[in-house]
Amino acid sequence: GQQLNQSPQSMFIQEGEDVSMNCTSSSIFNTWLWYKQDPGEGPVLLIALYKAGELTSNGRLTAQFGITRKDSFLNISASIPSDVGIYFCAGQLYRRDDKIIFGKGTRLHILP
Amino acid sequence: GAVVSQHPSRVICKSGTSVKIECRSLDFQATTMFWYRQFPKQSLMLMATSNEGSKATYEQGVEKDKFLINHASLTLSTLTVTSAHPEDSSFYICSATSLSGGNSPLHFGNGTRLTVT
């Protein structure tokens, strides 16, 4: 079945640094989604990408839908303490009611 | 924006009892709802896909008689964990989407922490 490989698994950075994480897949997806999850809460949608090559920003976050449709990356610029959490990439095959496959997550830590 | 509400947020039950978790879409009609399970420090694992008015589609390895899903209306889906055991303790999260009105990315509820004693 489809699998998403998300890396890195965890990151330890200084406040103010930029962050980059990515997801690759063995299968093509028509939608890529990036979520952030805080402890004890559900994932919150950060960015949705619907078109190959699309580059979308949401404040300090930027994500791109790879041309091959098999990868996506998320960048966070000038990290702040509230960026701490787990970031998940997710891919959806065709329709909006298709199931979504999640990556294993990237745990972001910010060092004091 | 789209809001998905999940209730309860936490529940503790005794082994052998059943627990019902509700998932509601508050400002849109959810043609499809999904139920996920998440163990500590792990990713979300899809349990089943639920379409309004029809039987849920379960992922491989998920017991449909143990995890009963009902999607009775376009705004409500329920997951009932029957005869719960301690190994069913987990974080259960629902999500909802709609086919109408352009792109509709998946939105999640805030999850239900189930502890079976």
Side-chain angles (χ1 to χ4, degrees):
Chain A
Q2 299 92 12
Q3 284 189 332
L4 289 186
N5 299 308
Q6 186 172 350
S7 64
Q9 251 186 329
S10 63
M11 302 181 73
F12 292 82
I13 63 166
Q14 301 280 353
E15 183 178 347
E17 284 186 22
D18 296 341
V19 173
S20 185
M21 60 191 78
N22 68 83
C23 254
T24 59
S25 167
S26 55
S27 305
I28 288 174
F29 287 102
N30 284 312
T31 299
W32 282 93
L33 305 163
W34 284 92
Y35 290 88
K36 178 175 184 265
Q37 185 179 29
D38 291 326
E41 298 184 12
V44 174
L45 182 67
L46 300 174
I47 293 179
L49 302 160
Y50 300 105
K51 194 175 171 183
E54 180 181 354
L55 183 71
T56 298
S57 292
N58 178 7
R60 294 178 294 107
L61 278 62
T62 302
Q64 184 158 33
F65 190 145
I67 291 289
T68 64
R69 298 188 179 183
K70 292 183 177 182
D71 64 303
S72 177
F73 71 73
L74 174 71
N75 288 339
I76 305 173
S77 63
S79 58
I80 60 177
S82 61
D83 291 335
V84 167
I86 305 175
Y87 292 80
F88 290 102
C89 65
Q92 191 173 35
L93 276 176
Y94 302 111
R95 292 153 39 113
R96 288 191 296 278
D97 57 348
D98 276 339
K99 62 184 178 183
I100 287 183
I101 311 297
F102 278 84
K104 292 189 184 299
T106 295
R107 191 177 291 270
L108 181 62
H109 306 266
I110 296 184
L111 301 169
Chain B
V3 177
V4 176
S5 172
Q6 197 170 332
H7 178 81
S9 57
R10 288 178 179 272
V11 58
I12 300 173
C13 71
K14 290 188 176 179
S15 189
T17 61
S18 295
V19 173
K20 182 185 282 189
I21 303 169
E22 291 187 349
C23 181
R24 293 181 185 273
S25 57
L26 297 186
D27 57 357
F28 67 102
Q29 292 188 322
T31 48
T32 304
M33 288 187 171
F34 301 88
W35 287 95
Y36 289 83
R37 183 174 182 175
Q38 187 178 33
F39 290 108
K41 298 189 179 182
Q42 293 192 20
S43 187
L44 286 76
M45 298 302 295
L46 180 66
M47 298 174 67
T49 302
S50 149
N51 292 296
E52 186 264 338
S54 61
K55 289 185 179 178
T57 302
Y58 289 81
E59 294 298 300
Q60 194 173 8
V62 178
E63 297 176 58
K64 62 180 181 181
D65 294 329
K66 180 165 186 63
F67 299 101
L68 300 178
I69 291 172
N70 185 289
H71 192 159
S73 76
L74 284 171
T75 59
L76 173 65
S77 176
T78 60
L79 168 68
T80 301
V81 183
T82 62
S83 187
H85 289 102
E87 57 265 30
D88 297 326
S89 299
S90 188
F91 194 50
Y92 293 87
I93 311 174
C94 72
S95 61
T97 190
S98 171
L99 277 177
S100 60
N103 289 320
S104 174
L106 207 59
H107 292 277
F108 285 82
N110 265 334
T112 296
R113 172 78 57 197
L114 171 63
T115 303
V116 184
T117 61

PDB file of all heavy atoms in Angstrom, chain A residues 3 17 33 37 44 48 52 93 97-98 106:
ATOM      1  N   GLN A   3       2.771   4.480   1.142  1.00  0.00           N
ATOM      2  CA  GLN A   3       3.491   4.861   2.346  1.00  0.00           C
ATOM      3  C   GLN A   3       4.081   6.236   2.142  1.00  0.00           C
ATOM      4  O   GLN A   3       4.489   6.595   1.033  1.00  0.00           O
ATOM      5  CB  GLN A   3       4.622   3.874   2.624  1.00  0.00           C
ATOM      6  CG  GLN A   3       4.172   2.540   3.191  1.00  0.00           C
ATOM      7  CD  GLN A   3       5.333   1.700   3.639  1.00  0.00           C
ATOM      8  OE1 GLN A   3       6.431   1.813   3.118  1.00  0.00           O
ATOM      9  NE2 GLN A   3       5.097   0.843   4.610  1.00  0.00           N
ATOM     10  N   GLU A  17      15.845  30.062  14.163  1.00  0.00           N
ATOM     11  CA  GLU A  17      16.355  29.310  13.014  1.00  0.00           C
ATOM     12  C   GLU A  17      15.216  28.931  12.066  1.00  0.00           C
ATOM     13  O   GLU A  17      14.047  28.877  12.450  1.00  0.00           O
ATOM     14  CB  GLU A  17      17.047  28.024  13.487  1.00  0.00           C
ATOM     15  CG  GLU A  17      18.417  28.229  14.090  1.00  0.00           C
ATOM     16  CD  GLU A  17      19.095  26.901  14.391  1.00  0.00           C
ATOM     17  OE1 GLU A  17      18.714  25.879  13.779  1.00  0.00           O
ATOM     18  OE2 GLU A  17      19.978  26.884  15.254  1.00  0.00           O
ATOM     19  N   LEU A  33      -1.123  17.594   2.178  1.00  0.00           N
ATOM     20  CA  LEU A  33      -1.569  18.397   3.312  1.00  0.00           C
ATOM     21  C   LEU A  33      -0.493  18.389   4.381  1.00  0.00           C
ATOM     22  O   LEU A  33       0.197  17.390   4.575  1.00  0.00           O
ATOM     23  CB  LEU A  33      -2.873  17.833   3.891  1.00  0.00           C
ATOM     24  CG  LEU A  33      -4.035  17.658   2.894  1.00  0.00           C
ATOM     25  CD1 LEU A  33      -5.097  16.737   3.471  1.00  0.00           C
ATOM     26  CD2 LEU A  33      -4.632  19.011   2.556  1.00  0.00           C
ATOM     27  N   GLN A  37       0.260  19.068  15.180  1.00  0.00           N
ATOM     28  CA  GLN A  37      -0.482  18.510  16.296  1.00  0.00           C
ATOM     29  C   GLN A  37       0.211  18.864  17.601  1.00  0.00           C
ATOM     30  O   GLN A  37       1.395  18.574  17.786  1.00  0.00           O
ATOM     31  CB  GLN A  37      -0.615  16.991  16.170  1.00  0.00           C
ATOM     32  CG  GLN A  37      -1.497  16.367  17.246  1.00  0.00           C
ATOM     33  CD  GLN A  37      -1.647  14.870  17.085  1.00  0.00           C
ATOM     34  OE1 GLN A  37      -0.767  14.198  16.569  1.00  0.00           O
ATOM     35  NE2 GLN A  37      -2.783  14.327  17.530  1.00  0.00           N
ATOM     36  N   VAL A  44      -4.102  20.141  13.324  1.00  0.00           N
ATOM     37  CA  VAL A  44      -4.642  21.374  12.766  1.00  0.00           C
ATOM     38  C   VAL A  44      -4.029  21.583  11.392  1.00  0.00           C
ATOM     39  O   VAL A  44      -2.808  21.518  11.235  1.00  0.00           O
ATOM     40  CB  VAL A  44      -4.316  22.574  13.681  1.00  0.00           C
ATOM     41  CG1 VAL A  44      -4.742  23.880  13.019  1.00  0.00           C
ATOM     42  CG2 VAL A  44      -5.023  22.410  15.020  1.00  0.00           C
ATOM     43  N   ALA A  48      -2.685  23.348   2.558  1.00  0.00           N
ATOM     44  CA  ALA A  48      -3.202  22.341   1.630  1.00  0.00           C
ATOM     45  C   ALA A  48      -2.685  22.650   0.232  1.00  0.00           C
ATOM     46  O   ALA A  48      -2.713  23.812  -0.201  1.00  0.00           O
ATOM     47  CB  ALA A  48      -4.727  22.346   1.640  1.00  0.00           C
ATOM     48  N   ALA A  52       0.454  20.041  -8.702  1.00  0.00           N
ATOM     49  CA  ALA A  52       1.883  19.775  -8.797  1.00  0.00           C
ATOM     50  C   ALA A  52       2.637  21.065  -9.093  1.00  0.00           C
ATOM     51  O   ALA A  52       2.247  21.840  -9.971  1.00  0.00           O
ATOM     52  CB  ALA A  52       2.153  18.744  -9.894  1.00  0.00           C
ATOM     53  N   LEU A  93      -5.317  10.650  -2.387  1.00  0.00           N
ATOM     54  CA  LEU A  93      -5.146  10.154  -3.748  1.00  0.00           C
ATOM     55  C   LEU A  93      -5.871  10.958  -4.809  1.00  0.00           C
ATOM     56  O   LEU A  93      -5.258  11.579  -5.658  1.00  0.00           O
ATOM     57  CB  LEU A  93      -5.596   8.689  -3.811  1.00  0.00           C
ATOM     58  CG  LEU A  93      -4.543   7.663  -3.393  1.00  0.00           C
ATOM     59  CD1 LEU A  93      -5.134   6.265  -3.415  1.00  0.00           C
ATOM     60  CD2 LEU A  93      -3.326   7.748  -4.291  1.00  0.00           C
ATOM     61  N   ASP A  97     -13.039  12.872  -0.810  1.00  0.00           N
ATOM     62  CA  ASP A  97     -13.488  11.919   0.201  1.00  0.00           C
ATOM     63  C   ASP A  97     -12.630  10.663   0.208  1.00  0.00           C
ATOM     64  O   ASP A  97     -12.984   9.668   0.823  1.00  0.00           O
ATOM     65  CB  ASP A  97     -14.958  11.564  -0.007  1.00  0.00           C
ATOM     66  CG  ASP A  97     -15.228  10.993  -1.387  1.00  0.00           C
ATOM     67  OD1 ASP A  97     -14.344  11.081  -2.256  1.00  0.00           O
ATOM     68  OD2 ASP A  97     -16.328  10.461  -1.576  1.00  0.00           O
ATOM     69  N   ASP A  98     -11.489  10.720  -0.492  1.00  0.00           N
ATOM     70  CA  ASP A  98     -10.545   9.618  -0.400  1.00  0.00           C
ATOM     71  C   ASP A  98      -9.854   9.644   0.958  1.00  0.00           C
ATOM     72  O   ASP A  98      -9.651  10.708   1.546  1.00  0.00           O
ATOM     73  CB  ASP A  98      -9.472   9.732  -1.478  1.00  0.00           C
ATOM     74  CG  ASP A  98      -9.931   9.157  -2.801  1.00  0.00           C
ATOM     75  OD1 ASP A  98     -10.862   8.339  -2.808  1.00  0.00           O
ATOM     76  OD2 ASP A  98      -9.351   9.544  -3.822  1.00  0.00           O
ATOM     77  N   THR A 106       7.189  14.738  12.174  1.00  0.00           N
ATOM     78  CA  THR A 106       8.470  15.348  12.538  1.00  0.00           C
ATOM     79  C   THR A 106       8.244  16.101  13.836  1.00  0.00           C
ATOM     80  O   THR A 106       7.403  17.001  13.907  1.00  0.00           O
ATOM     81  CB  THR A 106       8.959  16.334  11.464  1.00  0.00           C
ATOM     82  OG1 THR A 106       9.238  15.626  10.265  1.00  0.00           O
ATOM     83  CG2 THR A 106      10.208  17.071  11.935  1.00  0.00           C
TER      84      THR A 106
END
